[in-house]
Amino acid sequence: MPADFNWAIGGEAGDGIDSTGKIFARALSRAGRHVFTSKDFASRIRGGYTAYKVRTAIDQVESTVDRLDVLIALTQRTVDENIDELHEGSVIIYDGERTSMQDLEIPEGMIGMDIPLKSLAEDAGGAIMRNIVALGAACEVTEFPIEHLGSSLEKRFSDKGQSIVENNKTAADLGAEYVQDNYETESAEFEYELETTDEDYVLINGDEAIGMGAIAAGCRFYSGYPITPATDVMEYLTGRLERYGGHVVQAEDELSAINMALGAARAGARSMTATSGPGIDLMAETFGLVAQSETPLVICDVMRSGPSTGMPTKQEQGDLNMTLFGGHGEIPRFVVAPTTISECFWKTVEAFNLAEKYQTPVYLVSDLEMAVTEQTFPPEAFDMDDVEIDRGKIVDEDEVEEWLDDEGRFRAHADTEDGVSPRALPGTTDGAHMSTGLEHNELGRRTEDTDIRVEQVQKRQRKAETAEAEEDWSPREFGNADSDNLVVSWGSNEGTIVEAMDHLDEDDPDFQFLSVPYLFPRPDLTEAVEDAEQVVVVECNATGQFADVLEHDTLERVDRVNKYNGVGFKADELAAEITEVLQ
Amino acid sequence: MSSDVQFIDFKSDKQPTWCPGCGDFGTMNGMMKALANTGNDPDNTFVVAGIGCSGKIGTYMHSYALHGVHGRALPVGTGVKMANPDLEVMVAGGDGDGYSIGAGHFVHAVRRNVDMSYIVMDNRIYGLTKGQASPTSREDFETATTPEGPKQPPVNPLALALSAGGTFIAQSFASDSQRHTELVQEAIEHDGFGFVNVFSPCVTFNDTDTYDYFRDNLTDLAETDHDPNDFDEAKDRIMDPDGEYQGILYQDESSTPYHEAHGVTEDMTEIPDGAPENATDLVREFY
């Protein structure tokens, strides 16, 4: 039996694929198993192929693989789409009573399990529960204790009333019983047996981790406009932020969203907006204002496939250039990109600290795969006691005095050694000042004086230099540090690359892997690149945006592995590609 | 708040670069007087402006202020007010800033009913870009970009506000200092979004909507039997194509401002040194 187990449900959007997948994922996590999920969905509300895949193991899992052990197929297309991932011994659960599924041909060596999902669901109280019948059947096939499924159903449906919970449990039982009565799951043919443990795990996706990080960091104001795949950040915060003394506004558009967030930040609240690529474009003008007025703001970009509307529900890491260079003029900014789902939490906390310490906008860059993927972690991965808050140079009434000019005016953009000026929150006596996107003097007033222009540009640039020296911008290191081969990546590819390392055979090249969570400022990789014979940069875009940046930084040419078909890397495929480039 | 604040305390030492005779001088003076008269001081006041002649106002006034990008002053004001409801938030704009590029934000700020005042200096022309048609320019108003007039009806900002659920809709004239100040004051004191469209003549580029024109054509609603609490009456005045009115067109005195409706009572500026006390509850939700 393999160390990990892979399960999927597929059908049409509107078939309840997502919630069924979540219920099963949560059942596994409640049973003390690690889980890693992935979604395949289309940009429509009903119809169109959609699937939810769950990989589970006793040890932590960091990526998906191209293998399916049990597949719940609600449509013929589900089987067609996944045929390459099915193998000898794979179980396909389907409802042969469904007209469209009557002619389903089960490929040789696989086990077709024809279960009257709809009829059994009706026996339990309603056809809508047919997916739950299938889940019950899957539990039986994998000898996974069905009470964990019951506990997950309880969590999912308890606010809809106990009778709904009971009906769903009955549906699951009927599915399990049907398999028991009609198939010999204890025979050698059925090789699955999902063990359980006593561990408590947190099952969370990247958007939720960002939202949770924001609350932990003391974010009080969030304004956003719904856009895939960033919307879950707003949905997570709505209602929860209010519990912690904050407020969420669904703005009329992205322009409004970032301007509201800017207003709240200037008033002194930790403030954030989140969007995806098209929204970042719309926000670009105000991004310049945020930087020029030296306002602390966290702007989260959950990337998807572009340009324009591109493929809104598909993966890409195409916005790096936009976040590094976007906006007119030259603008100091930080660009932070978490590399795992738990890092989404910590990097969000860090983004708020960086924003306030340096009074600079921070791009927090995530991507679709990280946003929609759910992964289990031990609760310690989100230890709230480790959250530190640094609000930077906020001055109170007494401290304001030090920063007044001869005429008693507050020098909000005072030219300091570290480039960071004092910050008087509105309401502070004698701190009144204007902020503007125009070039300004120390008082914040418009100027075209050439010397002051140079002084203020340098002051703002100096913040980045100070931060570069004071903060830790190290990459995360994996693999063999002595290897001649170096693989570099950023964002959500980390888990897949780590897994790909396990897939390499003895004869394949070994390598050191640096996963870079800071894109600006970023670690100086010159030495690592110079020491390596071969350098490969792995990223989900066509041109190799990070590879370009690395070449620029190190003046060395690097190789690239790029994927831009809308699907993230898979470990097996990546192992093969890295091997090919390095050999 | 100190009670001895004079309007002069809201004045910065920067001399305005507006054209001599510009209506914006009177508009701004009234804003400063209204702020002082309502017991505010520069340290508890936040003024937001966008781009254009109106956008310069933050420079000439003394308070906490933000001079933002074109058309987006209202969302900024919304964020400021939500983060700290104790601040007096005043947003200034022009007819281009508010009714063209920012028209969407205008409608939504009105319907949100955020407790702030919005003062629009409406001169029916683009001044700073040197004389193009604005959204409130007359249908036959000839400009460099509309040699035969815009050939489209002007935006009626009062109607936009009324239809979006406006709870305080007024109009004033920059040159009638006393009435203008009173109306801005009423807008500040209104619990909700206090909107004042100010006729603020452009003496350089608009020779139609002049001081004399408004002096001759403006009807002060205070001198009529207009009841600002009567929605239908307000609608009739606002939709009257031949009337130019000064005064409160409409007011809903039972209005509940956005932050109160959403239970935001305290400012959001103080946060603990670490994660909130019960933040671990957030993690437990995911078990």
Side-chain angles (χ1 to χ4, degrees), chain A residues 340-476:
Chain A
T340 66
I341 288 168
S342 60
E343 280 300 298
C344 283
F345 175 86
W346 293 108
K347 290 290 176 276
T348 304
V349 174
E350 203 175 332
F352 277 98
N353 286 337
L354 288 171
E356 289 209 314
K357 269 176 91 172
Y358 297 97
Q359 297 167 27
T360 302
V362 180
Y363 274 128
L364 180 69
V365 182
S366 165
D367 59 46
L368 181 134
E369 289 236 329
M370 197 135 64
V372 303
T373 293
E374 291 176 295
Q375 194 180 352
T376 39
F377 297 91
E380 304 85 72
F382 306 97
D383 187 347
M384 291 291 176
D385 291 337
D386 288 346
V387 171
E388 288 173 14
I389 305 292
D390 188 342
R391 301 211 65 186
K393 290 190 192 172
I394 296 179
V395 291
D396 63 19
E397 285 181 18
D398 301 327
E399 293 159 333
V400 153
E401 301 304 321
E402 291 172 39
W403 297 97
L404 302 182
D405 71 0
D406 295 346
E407 287 161 68
R409 301 171 299 194
F410 180 64
R411 293 157 55 223
H413 300 275
D415 186 21
T416 57
E417 207 172 307
D418 60 3
V420 185
S421 307
R423 181 168 163 231
L425 304 187
T428 308
T429 307
D430 294 335
H433 64 275
M434 192 191 67
S435 315
T436 173
L438 289 164
E439 190 53 89
H440 45 260
N441 62 15
E442 288 196 327
L443 300 176
R445 292 179 178 181
R446 176 195 188 144
T447 184
E448 287 170 6
D449 181 298
T450 50
D451 291 339
I452 296 176
R453 161 71 179 177
V454 171
E455 181 188 289
Q456 284 291 324
V457 169
Q458 288 178 346
K459 181 197 109 70
R460 292 190 293 266
Q461 289 303 134
R462 206 150 59 239
K463 294 196 281 190
E465 289 159 22
T466 305
E468 225 166 331
E470 278 192 9
E471 311 287 331
D472 182 6
W473 307 101
S474 308
R476 291 154 66 88

Side-chain angles (χ1 to χ4, degrees), chain A residues 26 30 155 203 208 240 244 247 252-253 260 267 379 389 391 409 427-431 433-436 445, chain B residues 13 43 58-59 63-67 72 75-76 79-80 82 105 112 258 269 271 273 275 278 285-287:
Chain A
R26 191 171 294 282
R30 286 172 96 84
K155 187 166 170 104
L203 180 67
E208 291 163 340
R240 287 191 182 82
Y244 293 85
H247 186 65
E252 57 271 26
D253 54 35
M260 281 184 191
I389 305 292
R391 301 211 65 186
R409 301 171 299 194
T428 308
T429 307
D430 294 335
H433 64 275
M434 192 191 67
S435 315
T436 173
R445 292 179 178 181
Chain B
D13 49 23
D43 289 329
T59 317
S63 72
Y64 284 92
L66 184 98
H67 172 221
R72 322 283 167 219
V76 174
V80 171
M82 294 311 291
H105 304 313
R112 276 190 196 102
Y258 182 94
T269 61
I271 61 164
D273 283 340
N278 40 1
E285 280 182 53
F286 290 102
Y287 280 19

